[in-house]
Amino acid sequence: MDNLSRRLLQASCAVALTAAVASPAAAQSTRKDLKTGNKFFEQENYRASIPYYEKVLAKDPNNAKALFNAGIAYMSFDKEKASDYIYKAQKLKPKVSKDVEYWLGRVDHLNYNFDEAVAHYQAYNATLKKNDQRKEELAQLIQHSKNAKVQFNAPKDIFVKNLGPTINTQYSEHSPVISADDKLLLFTSRGENVTGSDNKKKGIAADGEYYEDIFESRRIDDENWEKPRSLSGVLNGKGHDASIQVYDNDTKMLLYRNDENGDIFSSDKSGGDWTAPQKLNSNINSKSFESDAFITPDGLTIYFSTGKYSEDGTLDIYYATKQPGGDWGNAKSLGGNINTKYDDDSPFLSRDGKALYFSSRGHNTMGGYDIFKSNWDSVGRKWGRPENMGYPVNTPDDDSYYRLSPDGTYAYLSSYRIGGYGEKDLYTINYIKNVNIKGQVFSKKDSTTAIPGVELTFNGQKADKSPISYRDVTKSPNGDYQVAVLSARTYQVAVSKDGKNIETQEFAVPVSTNDSTTITKNFYIDYVDTTGLAGLRIKNIYFDTDKYKLRPESIKELNNTSAFLKANPGLNISIEGHCDSRNTDEYNMVLGQNRAEAAYNYLTKQGIAASRMTTVSYGERKPAAPNDSPENMQLNRRDEFKPVFKEGEPIPKIVQPAPAPAPAPTAKPLAPGKSKVKLADGTKVKTKVDEDSDKVKVKTKGAGGSESKVTTKNGEIDGKAKTADGEKTKLKTKVD
């Protein structure tokens, strides 16, 4: 609790006591309960005060003073209820306390209402005199709310998990310590199963809470722990005892005892138990408060927090090294980059010694203690500027005792969070990892026909609302895909084929804290694959490296495509541009689009309606062959032409265009006159040549009903033809 809060609590209690005595209208029992509640409140025994305030409120629900003090008392146990009580008290009696605006700011801050908290702090600040020392502390609280708003609006993709009711109680649990094999958890609890006490009532400290004791629990599996047991009476003495660290292959332990305002002790493992704790030397411990420590894996350096060197007793982090005699040498400060004029506590180093984690009430905290990380600057030989680890590692309340797991993949910490089991609970901190999603795409019509060439795009958001997108295209012949996506969010999956969006499906991906999780997800879509239609003959065209200019042979093939499309006016196509893998994916997407548009523009000039064609680029994403040889790369530099049919309409019958009429042979002049010929297939041919042989007419009539008429005159050919199905074609050109 900050100093300003403590001073205001004392003032508030004094007013409350006066009100209890000077209220002749109140019933005797109500006055007695209020007086008793205020007595505990004055002693900062808030848990003990709450039942008496609740008794008062059961008889007098609108007792503003009982609501107000109960709300403050609830701040350590139920912040939402604290807010309700204080706001109700202020509504019933606006001047229930001269400090009410301060407390409204506190509960708003703890309940994530940061703008409202700032407004209340500023209103309270306006009531203070110019030289009031509380103004400086209020300025810090206002900055906390501003910091918290920034961090809360830019959350990290981190999964915070409560260790559950087997470990956590309605009381405070903190100081987690994990064994080297990650199977044994030591922690500190102020629960009911504690051992020592120097009061008459077993285990109860002066503040009405149970004393701190060290407990251990063995892991059952990734999710569950055995029922904790208190360690031996040798380790847990009278008063507060707290776990700090196990080290040297779990054979030694650092622990805290409230000896001389709080000191650091050590204990050795002997058989299955721990030896009597021994206090570390005077270079570490003092008559001031020493709260926490960490010994490096080589056993040569200790980092610890102490109030010895600060003017007002606030904690700073120091370190000391082993001397030739085996004891700790003189303490040295970690410096101004780490230590502030506020409490800096709970040091912990990564296994490689390059990262320092600690808790601080200074720097850019969100409020109370926050977890910070500092990296070792090997050039400057100092710790770098600490970075706030952000939300949701940190919250507006106290967050402390950050401890990495043995393999460094996750961490433990202690904090009060909405939805917990009481006061501070133990949590694990895991970075959210990718999940491998794989499966197939099938036709919904029969649920068995796999569809290659379907593009799946998973669109989602990071925790900070920035967009993320992952994609893959189903492979031939099984229509299978695989994509790695960030877990713990819902994705909108856009399903498309040949550049046309088919549908969008929603897919929720559960949280994963490792990269080995695989989920199978099949998609069933309304799509009929038409690539195997009988009679469909549209050949690919190919391009030179890094070019989208049409080759001569490509122009010839596009002329065939134009004739085919004219013969099938009900057929629309998608033109797909493809590339080899010589350049970047981004570059190839543009190049592929240019290649598709080159074919599109040519066909448009040939009279194919633009509305019948769409273009799409796949870049290098759908290779026809591996990009492992010049020949295969040539196969990948291509345009493909895929039919597109309107949903719900039957697939049209494919009609082949009539072959272009053959020009009259010019090897030698034709003799003037008329002739008739019947060919072997039954086709009848009539020929008429004028007297000068400069005009020739040829008429054909096929046995199936096809007809053609070609006139050649002065080097020009003018012809027309009709197929057996009635489709007509005209031709007019010059003969070279």
Side-chain angles (χ1 to χ4, degrees), residues 111-390:
N111 284 283
Y112 296 82
N113 301 317
F114 305 119
D115 289 337
E116 292 85 345
V118 170
H120 286 301
Y121 288 145
Q122 290 173 338
Y124 182 65
N125 187 59
T127 67
L128 302 178
K129 294 181 179 180
K130 184 177 181 179
N131 296 325
D132 196 313
Q133 292 181 350
R134 289 174 288 183
K135 282 183 171 290
E136 181 180 352
E137 294 182 56
L138 272 175
Q140 186 197 24
L141 292 176
I142 290 172
Q143 189 60 51
H144 287 174
S145 291
K146 292 180 178 179
N147 295 341
K149 183 179 179 180
V150 171
Q151 298 287 356
F152 181 73
N153 288 330
K156 313 290 186 184
D157 273 299
I158 288 172
F159 179 55
V160 181
K161 183 179 180 182
N162 192 296
L163 260 62
T166 301
I167 300 297
N168 293 312
T169 69
Q170 62 178 304
Y171 304 96
S172 179
E173 280 73 40
H174 61 85
S175 302
V177 175
I178 193 72
S179 62
D181 62 4
D182 203 19
K183 293 181 179 179
L184 188 68
L185 174 70
L186 282 73
F187 64 98
T188 303
S189 176
R190 299 194 73 174
E192 297 172 309
N193 299 318
V194 298
T195 54
S197 170
D198 51 8
N199 280 357
K200 292 182 179 180
K201 188 174 181 181
K202 178 184 177 182
I204 300 296
D207 62 0
E209 298 273 341
Y210 291 104
Y211 279 99
E212 295 174 332
D213 265 5
I214 302 173
F215 290 79
E216 69 174 15
S217 176
R218 188 162 294 277
R219 185 190 296 277
I220 298 174
D221 52 38
D222 289 345
E223 304 292 330
N224 299 290
W225 297 88
E226 291 179 352
K227 182 180 178 181
R229 73 176 185 92
S230 177
L231 294 184
S232 68
V234 174
L235 199 59
N236 284 326
K238 294 181 178 181
H240 295 298
D241 303 284
S243 49
I244 291 180
Q245 182 188 7
V246 288
Y247 62 103
D248 198 8
N249 199 28
D250 298 343
T251 62
K252 300 180 185 297
M253 178 193 291
L254 288 182
L255 65 150
Y256 164 90
R257 277 187 169 180
N258 64 336
D259 186 67
E260 289 189 301
N261 291 317
D263 281 337
I264 309 299
F265 287 71
S266 66
S267 175
D268 295 331
K269 196 73 173 284
S270 178
D273 216 334
W274 295 95
T275 62
Q278 301 295 315
K279 184 183 293 191
L280 301 190
N281 72 7
S282 59
N283 286 330
I284 307 301
N285 289 312
S286 68
K287 293 183 179 180
S288 298
F289 180 38
E290 281 75 41
S291 66
D292 206 357
F294 176 85
I295 292 179
T296 55
D298 61 11
L300 299 179
T301 307
I302 184 171
Y303 294 79
F304 63 102
S305 46
T306 176
K308 176 181 179 180
Y309 303 99
S310 63
E311 293 181 0
D312 56 358
T314 55
L315 294 170
D316 288 324
I317 300 177
Y318 278 69
Y319 74 98
T321 57
K322 276 281 181 71
Q323 299 304 295
D327 215 339
W328 299 111
N330 293 329
K332 299 178 182 179
S333 172
L334 287 193
N337 267 4
I338 302 299
N339 292 319
T340 68
K341 65 178 181 179
Y342 305 100
D343 288 320
D344 303 288
D345 193 9
S346 192
F348 184 91
L349 270 70
S350 60
R351 182 171 290 275
D352 61 8
K354 295 180 180 180
L356 169 70
Y357 301 88
F358 65 101
S359 303
S360 178
R361 295 182 187 271
H363 302 292
N364 60 327
T365 174
M366 292 178 66
Y369 277 115
D370 272 7
I371 309 297
F372 290 85
K373 178 183 179 182
S374 173
N375 294 317
W376 175 250
D377 178 359
S378 58
V379 177
R381 305 295 299 171
K382 62 181 180 180
W383 290 104
R385 182 178 179 181
E387 175 188 357
N388 189 304
M389 295 194 68

Side-chain angles (χ1 to χ4, degrees), residues 420-482:
Y421 291 94
E423 292 184 61
K424 291 181 180 178
D425 283 350
L426 296 184
Y427 293 83
T428 54
I429 300 293
N430 291 270
Y431 283 89
I432 293 173
K433 301 295 182 66
N434 284 350
V435 166
N436 296 310
I437 310 294
K438 68 177 185 177
Q440 296 172 271
V441 176
F442 297 99
S443 171
K444 189 182 291 184
K445 184 176 181 180
D446 57 16
S447 299
T448 58
T449 301
I451 310 176
V454 174
E455 184 176 19
L456 302 172
T457 304
F458 290 70
N459 296 308
Q461 291 183 332
K462 293 183 179 179
D464 62 4
K465 307 301 181 184
S466 61
I468 50 176
S469 183
Y470 309 89
R471 65 175 298 282
D472 195 18
V473 178
T474 57
K475 310 299 186 297
S476 180
N478 299 320
D480 55 309
Y481 76 95
Q482 182 168 327

Side-chain angles (χ1 to χ4, degrees), residues 658-676:
T666 58
K668 62 180 181 177
L670 296 175
K674 298 180 179 180
S675 65
K676 292 182 180 181

Side-chain angles (χ1 to χ4, degrees), residues 497-514:
K497 182 81 164 67
D498 303 325
K500 177 186 176 183
N501 184 65
I502 299 172
E503 60 185 60
T504 299
Q505 297 187 20
E506 191 171 85
F507 180 45
V509 179
V511 65
S512 174
T513 55
N514 62 74

